Structures are given as C-alpha cells and as structure tokens.
Amino acid sequence: MSSESETTGDSAATSAVNGGTAEPEKKPRSFFRELPILILVALVLSFLLQTFVARVYLIPSESMEPTLHGCAGCTGDRIVVEKIGYRFGEPQPGDVIVFRGPDSWSQDFVSTRSSNVVIRGAQELGSLVGLVPPDENDLVKRVIATGGQTVECCDDQGRILVDGTPLDEPYVVMDFPFVPGSQACDTALKSARCFGPVTVPDGHLWVMGDNRSNSADSRYHVGDDMQGTIPLDNVIGKAVFIALPPARMGTISSPDIQGK
C-alpha cells in the first residue's frame, strides 16, 4: 500500500509541474493521411521544375535526323530541354533549340485538347505538371544565324554562308543534291539547297533542321513577314540530352559552327 501511495503521489507531482494535466501520447500520423500532402508537394515541385528549369519533349518528325530521331509510326526521342541558360544569355549558332512556332509556322497545327470541358481541364492541369504535352506548336531546330547576320546558300561547295563565311556542319547527313556546273545555284537546274541572302532582324534567329532535305524550317517560311526567322521570345529552351529510348541516351552537341 505504501509503494502504491508513493507512485500516485509522484504522478500527481509530475502533473502539477506540467500544468496540472497529463498530455496524451501522440499517435504517429497515418501514411494514407499524409499521402495527399506528399502528392501536392510533388505536383508543385514538378510544376516549378517544368516551368523554370527543364522539361521533356517528344520528337515527332524526321526534321532533325540523324541527331534526333522521330518519324510517323515510330518511337521518337524524348529530349530534355533546359530553360535556365537562356535567362542569362541568348541562343548561339549551333545550339539545338525548342521554340513555339510563329503563326505562319502553325497554320496546320491541330489542338490535342478534348472538346469535353472536364477532360480539357484535366489535360490543362496535367500539362502544368508535365504529364500532358503543352497544347501548342512546339518545334525543334538548330540555330544557324542570329540577329544582324546575313545567311544564304551556297558557296561553290554547297555550304551555307553566314556573313560570307561557310559553316562547318558535321551533323548534316541528308541534304539536297549540289553538283557544281550542273546543279548548283547558278545553273539552269538549280539545287534545292539554294536560298537567300536573308539578313536576320535583331531579336530573331534563323533556324534549320539537320535533315536538310526534309525540314520545313526558316527556308520554307522565308516568304512570311519575318522572312522565315523566329523571335527570341518564342524560344523555350536548349535541347541538351536524349533521355529515351535508352539505346540513344546521350548529350546533344552544340558545335561552334561559325568558328568564333
């Protein structure tokens, strides 16, 4: 009886020290109660990363072959496009960029969004966190010339000239025929390589696909109000890495094509 009395007395003293009421032991929070919070945090982080840091894009066409793989009915490359670098500088000749197609480049673009309001809303939400592609005409090409430079083709070897200097383009594998004396820029049978000269307006870029014989790039749109160039404001970011498929995983080169 004495021992029990002493224990009771000690508990009372302890309760008095703690304010007179003993605090109940806290139960660990259930994983399923915390799961919605974890999902929300993940979605917010994904949104921030996709918007300000980097995003993955799918290559849908052959215009950048063989650098980037994409074709109708096959599995195109998925590339990582970083967005930070161009916040502190501008695209340089040789960079592979992703950009929003100007109006004259997007006449054949068809929205991928559903006509159902609820589904369309879910698609837009999914796009914000990178689960659904943006509903815009996003294109990938290589920068050839920048604002103030004059670009044309070709010299006597069929090379593109920027400010009169031929470019070094080791990534070009597929191009239109160019045969000096019989199929060039000054022959009756003119090579399809030939264009220009075009002076790129300030704040714009002249871009071309690596697959020169199958790319609707600046040459194709040279008759529009911007002479085929694209505004710097349309640039989303720089393509830096092939993430999928695993067999093609690797970095995307940006050679100094103008030799600066």
Side-chain angles (χ1 to χ4, degrees), residues 113-131:
R113 295 296 185 257
S114 171
S115 58
N116 182 287
V117 176
V118 176
I119 297 177
R120 184 167 66 250
Q123 290 174 327
E124 293 294 347
L125 181 61
S127 179
L128 289 177
V129 296
L131 299 177

Side-chain angles (χ1 to χ4, degrees), residues 124-178:
E124 293 294 347
L125 181 61
S127 179
L128 289 177
V129 296
L131 299 177
V132 178
D135 191 33
E136 58 190 19
N137 186 28
D138 294 334
L139 304 169
V140 57
K141 306 290 180 191
R142 192 180 296 271
V143 178
I144 300 300
T146 57
Q149 295 186 320
T150 299
V151 58
E152 61 185 310
C153 194
C154 305
D155 68 358
D156 57 5
Q157 297 180 43
R159 297 175 296 183
I160 291 176
L161 300 166
V162 173
D163 291 338
T165 302
L167 300 185
D168 178 20
E169 300 189 279
Y171 45 79
V172 176
V173 175
M174 293 167 280
D175 207 342
F176 293 108
F178 187 91

Side-chain angles (χ1 to χ4, degrees), residues 61-68 70 141-142 171-176 208-217 219:
S61 73
E62 303 172 51
S63 70
M64 285 295 292
E65 294 277 5
T67 304
L68 301 177
K141 306 290 180 191
R142 192 180 296 271
Y171 45 79
V172 176
V173 175
M174 293 167 280
D175 207 342
F176 293 108
M208 298 175 69
D210 289 358
N211 183 353
R212 295 291 157 80
S213 57
N214 190 9
S215 178
D217 49 35
R219 299 166 298 170

